Amino acid sequence: MRILFLFTLIPLLFWNCKSQTDPPTLILANGKIWTGEGPDTFAEAVAIRGNNISKTGDSKSILELAGSNTEIIDLQGKLVTAGFNDAHIHFLGGSLGLTQVDLLATTSLDQVISITEAFIERNPEKDWITGRGWQYTYYSSGLPDHQSMKALDIGKPIFLRAYDGHSAYANPKALELAGITSSSVFEGFGEVVKDSKGNPTGALKEGAMALVGDLVPGPSYDDKMNALKKGMELAASLGITSIQNASGSEEELKLYLDLMKKGELYIRYAAAFSVGEKSTAEELTRFNFLKDSLGAENPWIRADAIKFMIDGVIESHTAAMLDHYSDLLPDDELALGMLNISSVKYQNLVKELDAKGFRLYTHAIGDRGVREVFSAYEKAVHENSFRERRHRIEHIETLSPDDILRFAASGIVASMQPIHADPATVGVWSKAIGEERIPWSFAWNSILTSGAKLVFSSDWPACISLDPIRGIHVAVNRRDPFGFPEIAWIPKEKISIYEALKAYTSLGAFSSFEEDRKGLIKEGYLADLIVLSEDLFIIDPMKIHEVKVTTTIIDGKVIFERK
Ligand SMILES: [Zn+2]
């Protein structure tokens, strides 16, 4: 990539400069600009003035607009798209994870151990060792225990969450500090896992994780701000220019507002407030106040979404299923998974917050969980006054075919994470789901074909990679980067690169009612765009995972360049 400054072109363009009163600040020329409006809407060049796209067209006519201070990037044929919009992310948690034991990129138990040991050695001052990223497939039983994690039985407490954040491993010291013994009983959404002799194994599911997690000293304000800066740097290197947080509090929102005030926010942020069984009326009133006081005009921050959780995850049998898990007996306590909020309470909250004008997201992974969400959203649509809503169901890892038309019928957006379907990571998942339900797993093509709007995201840090390119690779191939499996996993659910890119750009903007200002490379739109190392539209689909973002531009400014 070369950045040319205009002096080389001044003689050619001088006549034109005189007629330009307001020339572009930045031009990207000699490339392949995918505008995002259709599968083959391409331009050669794009002109940016300040923070907006001022024009797209052929290189000659766009370069003629240049002024003496216009910076020009020669794309040398490279592909440019709108910046990625990660529509479901837990950005603070992910960013803090960058300062802890980061196991997201691991592929084996050995790596979990060696990376954790290396972290302990590098950080001798830390009283608690915390981290995230192990996968269920590393363990023969699907969960870690003191035997498999023996190397971490040291004098310090260690607390490592699974990549999806729904289970954790606590070493013997951590269990001791939490007072967890064979006589401990956990009541609620979750489990203290015990072996056949009744001894805790160190594995904790869902709510039971808090027994240990609550003991870990929390990060300070400065820790969080520093972590967010690291997170933004990582996101910029992956071409992510907008994020929609899928959990959060007022305190978390304030961090982003502080970054914005200091001029240090360089990712567009849509906050969501977490609401559940225990949320109080005062909290809901406060969230509504924050939503209204921030409004919808600021292109950097909005706070108009609510996040619910209706169930858990398949791997720990906490996702709510219509029929029993294939690897559990029908009379098992968890045979149908569980709802983590009562249907009535959830429906009432949905109706109330819908009426207040929030966008609603609900985590629903089991087919019963998904059905519960449809019913609650449809009820609110029916009982409250008419408006366009764009409520979303998050994850939809399993789905009853009987429910598929309900997306389009009520304008409910399907929000999915292709990276969660990386075939190398779905072994434990598939066993629990069983052959019969497999055809409706991560069924993004069926959902699209049914007429639904589909948005993509990472769910970082509850995933093996934040990189949108990795997600797009899985969406298009349903095979992992190493070619596994040889025949795509449920090939009928593959989608085109066009649909995958749309779900990661313009439809993300649609989801937050911002399709008129971002997600496309179009005159008047915010100048958030990325340059890619290869042309995703013509590359061998199995090489998509090798593609890198080489330049990231947000608000008209280059914030990342790959050296
Ligand atoms: Zn999530």
Side-chain angles (χ1 to χ4, degrees):
M1 175 75 45
R2 285 179 301 146
I3 296 187
L4 302 174
F5 287 90
L6 191 68
F7 58 84
T8 52
L9 295 168
I10 286 172
L12 281 172
L13 300 173
F14 187 68
W15 63 273
N16 195 28
C17 292
K18 284 193 290 191
S19 63
Q20 291 290 320
T21 50
D22 217 359
T25 42
L26 176 64
I27 285 176
L28 282 71
N30 304 321
K32 182 174 173 186
I33 318 281
W34 179 57
T35 70
E37 291 156 293
D40 41 34
T41 51
F42 296 101
E44 285 175 3
V46 53
I48 293 163
R49 189 182 297 126
N51 55 4
N52 281 314
I53 290 161
S54 59
K55 205 169 171 52
T56 59
D58 61 90
S59 292
K60 185 171 175 290
S61 64
I62 295 296
L63 284 169
E64 281 170 0
L65 304 172
S68 55
N69 291 318
T70 304
E71 187 183 338
I72 295 177
I73 296 178
D74 180 358
L75 293 166
Q76 300 179 326
K78 292 215 164 64
L79 179 70
V80 174
T81 72
F84 293 128
N85 186 326
D86 191 320
H88 178 129
I89 195 165
H90 307 273
F91 199 68
L92 178 60
S95 298
L96 284 166
L98 299 174
T99 64
Q100 300 165 359
V101 184
D102 185 0
L103 303 170
L104 290 177
T106 59
T107 53
S108 68
L109 171 58
D110 285 349
Q111 288 178 358
V112 168
I113 302 292
S114 61
I115 290 174
T116 307
E117 285 177 334
F119 182 90
I120 294 167
E121 209 175 308
R122 278 200 316 277
N123 297 277
E125 77 293 351
K126 288 205 189 268
D127 295 332
W128 272 84
I129 304 301
T130 57
R132 178 165 190 158
W134 56 263
Q135 292 177 36
Y136 299 94
T137 47
Y138 300 167
Y139 306 96
S140 53
S141 72
L143 283 171
D145 55 30
H146 292 329
Q147 190 54 37
S148 53
M149 302 291 260
K150 207 169 169 185
L152 303 182
D153 183 4
I154 58 171
K156 272 186 188 188
I158 299 178
F159 183 60
L160 301 173
R161 288 173 204 269
Y163 78 101
D164 65 3
H166 288 266
S167 307
Y169 171 72
N171 76 343
K173 185 69 190 174
L175 288 187
E176 182 196 318
L177 291 173
I180 296 174
T181 65
S182 53
S183 51
S184 302
V185 181
F186 179 77
E187 276 169 12
F189 184 68
E191 185 186 353
V192 172
V193 180
K194 293 180 181 169
D195 63 19
S196 55
K197 293 188 187 118
N199 294 315
T201 64
L204 302 166
K205 292 183 186 176
E206 302 290 353
M209 291 189 294
L211 299 174
V212 174
D214 286 352
L215 302 178
V216 180
S220 67
Y221 174 86
D222 287 342
D223 291 341
K224 290 179 191 169
M225 290 296 262
N226 289 332
L228 286 179
K229 285 174 196 167
K230 278 189 182 206
M232 286 193 293
E233 246 172 66
L234 176 62
S237 74
L238 300 172
I240 299 165
T241 53
S242 288
I243 50 174
Q244 301 181 50
N245 222 43
S247 54
S249 59
E250 178 174 2
E251 191 199 346
E252 192 172 338
L253 172 62
K254 194 174 170 298
L255 299 170
Y256 295 89
L257 289 168
D258 287 353
L259 283 170
M260 185 176 70
K261 279 181 212 144
K262 290 195 219 164
E264 291 173 359
L265 184 66
Y266 52 94
I267 197 157
R268 303 192 193 277
Y269 183 76
F273 300 110
S274 301
V275 168
E277 193 98 45
K278 293 189 184 126
S279 299
T280 63
E282 293 74 44
E283 281 172 326
L284 302 187
T285 305
R286 182 71 189 163
F287 295 156
N288 197 43
F289 168 78
L290 292 167
K291 163 173 73 67
D292 292 342
S293 47
L294 269 168
E297 294 312 309
N298 189 322
W300 289 101
I301 295 194
R302 59 200 289 122
D304 59 343
I306 294 289
K307 169 71 182 306
F308 295 105
M309 302 271 293
I310 196 84
D311 64 359
V313 295
I314 303 286
E315 289 89 338
S316 63
H317 304 118
T318 49
M321 304 305 294
L322 294 166
D323 284 312
H324 74 87
Y325 280 104
S326 299
D327 56 347
L328 293 182
L329 292 170
D331 60 352
D332 191 288
E333 214 179 302
L334 278 176
L336 297 175
M338 48 169 94
L339 294 178
N340 74 5
I341 181 168
S342 79
S343 294
V344 175
K345 176 83 184 171
Y346 171 64
Q347 290 188 0
N348 290 340
L349 282 167
V350 162
K351 189 181 169 191
E352 178 186 345
L353 293 160
D354 172 79
K356 287 188 158 75
F358 280 102
R359 295 185 297 122
L360 306 180
Y361 312 154
T362 306
H363 164 121
I365 284 185
D367 49 13
R368 178 161 61 104
V370 173
R371 184 169 286 178
E372 287 280 340
V373 184
F374 276 125
S375 302
Y377 285 180
E378 287 162 356
K379 190 166 179 284
V381 167
H382 183 70
E383 292 173 6
N384 290 340
S385 59
F386 176 79
R387 70 183 167 87
E388 200 181 346
R389 291 172 162 86
R390 304 185 188 176
H391 295 334
R392 303 189 341 199
I393 307 183
E394 308 300 311
H395 310 309
I396 321 165
E397 294 186 5
T398 61
L399 172 71
S400 163
D402 297 341
D403 288 331
I404 198 159
L405 291 173
R406 296 168 83 174
F407 288 105
S410 298
I412 294 167
V413 176
S415 168
M416 302 179 78
Q417 297 70 37
I419 194 67
H420 284 175
D422 183 300
T425 66
V426 296
V428 175
W429 191 98
S430 301
K431 225 176 105 206
I433 284 301
E435 281 307 310
E436 213 174 297
R437 281 179 290 218
I438 285 286
W440 292 91
S441 304
F442 300 91
W444 45 74
N445 187 43
S446 298
I447 289 172
L448 259 183
T449 315
S450 77
K453 293 268 199 287
L454 173 70
V455 296
F456 275 164
S457 55
S458 66
D459 199 13
W460 188 64
C463 61
I464 56 168
S465 171
L466 168 63
D467 188 352
I469 292 288
R470 275 292 304 274
I472 290 169
H473 179 95
V474 176
V476 171
N477 294 295
R478 308 241 351 165
R479 295 171 76 193
D480 82 352
F482 307 100
F484 174 82
E486 218 159 289
I487 294 173
W489 187 55
I490 325 170
K492 74 176 174 71
E493 296 302 340
K494 292 199 277 188
I495 56 171
S496 68
I497 186 70
Y498 163 64
E499 296 290 359
L501 280 171
K502 241 172 73 172
Y504 244 122
T505 54
S506 56
L507 283 165
F510 172 86
S511 156
S512 58
F513 286 93
E514 293 177 280
E515 72 274 22
D516 290 337
R517 66 179 176 205
K518 68 182 186 185
L520 299 177
I521 301 184
K522 193 176 166 183
E523 191 177 327
Y525 274 58
L526 291 166
D528 300 348
L529 27 94
I530 57 176
V531 184
L532 294 144
S533 61
E534 305 289 334
D535 184 346
L536 289 168
F537 287 88
I538 58 169
I539 195 174
D540 168 5
M542 277 307 291
K543 290 197 184 304
I544 290 175
H545 70 97
E546 293 172 9
V547 175
K548 296 268 183 257
V549 169
T550 61
T551 304
T552 301
I553 296 168
I554 186 164
D555 217 39
K557 291 172 202 72
V558 175
I559 55 160
F560 169 77
E561 268 188 290
R562 193 168 295 278
K563 294 284 178 275

